[in-house]
Amino acid sequence: IAPFDLAMAQGWTHGELAFRERRLDDLLSEMNRYSKTQLRLGDPSLAGLEVSGSFHAGDQDALAKALARGWQLRVVRTAANELTLLPADTERQR
């Protein structure tokens, strides 16, 4: 049983999803529920990254930018409605 987190519960009423030390794969699964644009992991080693923060439900671009800045990930648009997260040190493919 986890203790109740009032700040996380209150954020929902404003369209905010708050995460505390959440695995990146779980966070993406939750965020993808609220947007046509889907965030994908391009490298399975990223799944276990722990992420904390508050993000607006459905704002995948803002989440991707935060992950790029805060966790040094690279974001690549891989389809019209898909963004793929990669480690920053992987070579760009073209």
Side-chain angles (χ1 to χ4, degrees), residues 43-79:
D43 184 327
S45 69
L46 300 176
L49 284 177
E50 290 189 346
V51 178
S52 295
S54 180
F55 307 100
H56 187 73
D59 192 349
Q60 305 295 67
D61 289 325
L63 174 59
K65 287 177 186 174
L67 292 169
R69 280 191 308 259
W71 285 265
Q72 289 74 48
L73 300 181
R74 189 164 56 90
V75 180
V76 177
R77 182 164 295 280
T78 48

Side-chain angles (χ1 to χ4, degrees), residues 12-62:
W12 173 248
T13 62
H14 303 290
E16 296 292 318
L17 298 176
F19 302 96
R20 181 172 293 147
E21 297 177 5
R22 187 83 169 265
R23 284 178 52 101
L24 182 57
D25 56 349
D26 291 339
L27 184 148
L28 295 184
S29 179
E30 182 73 17
M31 288 291 289
N32 283 341
R33 293 176 51 203
Y34 301 97
S35 178
K36 289 182 182 180
T37 300
Q38 299 292 287
L39 286 165
R40 306 280 184 224
L41 294 178
D43 184 327
S45 69
L46 300 176
L49 284 177
E50 290 189 346
V51 178
S52 295
S54 180
F55 307 100
H56 187 73
D59 192 349
Q60 305 295 67
D61 289 325

